Amino acid sequence: MAQKVAVLGTGKIGEALLSGMIRGGWAPADLLVTARRPERAAQLRERYGVEAVTNAEAAEAADTLILTVKPQDMGSLLAELAPHVPADRLVISGAAGIPTAFFEERLAAGTPVVRVMTNTPALVDEAMSVISAGTHATGDHLRRAEEIFAGVGKTLRVPETQQDAATALSGSGPAYFYFLVEAMTDAGILLGLPRDKAHDLIVQAAIGAAVMLRDSGEHPVKLRENVTSPAGTTINAIRELENHGVRAALLAALEAARDRSRELASGNG
């Protein structure tokens, strides 16, 4: 019998998951959605042919519940769901910084919980989704989560103790690259290029570099050395990056993101 999956609080990431599952072969009849606003629910129903229900109805009807509300709204959602979620439901959390224990304490004893940190490239099917098991989640539960999130990109299993580091690297990671592209675009303008041309040059360079990193199997140091000829332009630029402490700044920035994720997990938001 087909598994029913419900996406609760279907915002941008929730909708990306929904569309990815449908493209991956899930039948709309096996998918449920909930949304805070009736007009949003109607939009999802019309766009994907899925049934829009209440949170309580989703909890009672679906085999897997994917909770995609904002972290600050998760407590109230769980209070609403708790009377309706049997212990055999799989609960998947997509909320940054909230440990599986938070869910296990508020739901029926033995409820399997899987924690997933995905990122915004889910909107273009290039997400990196990091998956961790709670106390009661089995290998089958992890495989079910992977099947769902594989529709919008790659998945990786890690122990939950590594989720804060994964959030710093991957969850927040796209923002660092956007920041770098923004700075390099400004540099292109400083060097005399129009903004649109500078943008196009840098974006394609970033795409090309990312594909080479993914597909070549080479270490990034090796790929960088291939571009860096003796006494050339690249080595002069890299010298300035090192002089300005860019590497150290990145290490400090990711540690700060990791620490903030820990603070959110401990409730010090």
Side-chain angles (χ1 to χ4, degrees):
M1 188 171 63
Q3 293 273 325
K4 271 198 178 292
V5 175
V7 182
L8 281 69
T10 314
K12 287 185 178 180
I13 294 294
E15 184 175 356
L17 276 176
L18 182 68
S19 62
M21 291 175 70
I22 291 172
R23 289 192 303 278
W26 291 75
D30 294 325
L31 302 173
L32 304 172
V33 297
T34 78
R36 180 175 295 177
R37 295 178 291 108
E39 58 270 28
R40 173 62 171 164
Q43 181 187 62
L44 293 166
R45 187 187 305 113
E46 181 178 345
R47 188 173 292 171
Y48 299 103
V50 297
E51 185 179 359
V53 296
T54 67
N55 290 329
E57 289 169 341
E60 291 170 352
D63 304 284
T64 299
L65 306 175
I66 307 173
L67 312 186
T68 63
V69 300
K70 292 181 173 63
Q72 60 268 31
D73 296 330
M74 194 61 78
S76 59
L77 175 61
L78 289 175
E80 180 184 353
L81 292 177
H84 307 283
V85 180
D88 62 350
R89 296 288 189 267
L90 170 59
V91 175
I92 298 175
S93 165
I98 301 183
T100 55
F102 181 90
F103 300 85
E104 292 165 351
E105 291 165 2
R106 289 161 174 79
L107 298 172
T111 300
V113 180
V114 171
R115 177 177 172 182
V116 181
M117 180 69 242
T118 193
N119 56 16
T120 55
L123 299 170
V124 292
D125 293 347
E126 291 291 349
M128 183 73 249
S129 300
V130 183
I131 297 176
S132 301
T135 305
H136 310 292
T138 67
D140 285 341
H141 295 128
L142 288 170
R143 282 188 286 274
R144 201 186 309 173
E146 286 169 339
E147 182 182 1
I148 291 168
F149 281 83
V152 292
K154 295 187 69 173
T155 65
L156 177 70
R157 293 189 196 184
V158 302
E160 189 170 12
T161 54
Q162 295 176 2
Q163 275 281 354
D164 293 320
T167 296
L169 279 170
S170 180
S172 300
Y176 313 146
F177 288 97
Y178 302 145
F179 183 86
L180 182 60
V181 168
E182 178 188 0
M184 291 178 70
T185 301
D186 287 343
I189 296 168
L190 179 66
L191 298 175
L193 288 167
R195 177 175 293 277
D196 59 341
K197 288 185 171 58
H199 175 84
D200 290 348
L201 288 168
I202 293 159
V203 169
Q204 186 56 40
I207 292 169
V211 171
M212 288 185 71
L213 275 169
R214 185 190 65 191
D215 295 347
S216 70
E218 295 281 4
H219 193 281
V221 170
K222 175 63 175 174
L223 293 174
R224 178 180 61 76
E225 288 175 345
N226 290 343
V227 187
T228 310
S229 55
T233 59
T234 306
I235 193 61
N236 274 274
I238 289 172
R239 180 188 63 185
E240 289 303 314
L241 291 173
E242 295 289 9
N243 286 343
H244 286 80
V246 171
R247 189 185 303 266
L250 282 170
L251 292 173
L254 268 68
E255 281 188 321
R258 187 270 322 269
D259 293 345
R260 180 56 179 156
S261 183
R262 287 177 176 172
E263 289 175 1
L264 292 171
S266 66
N268 297 323

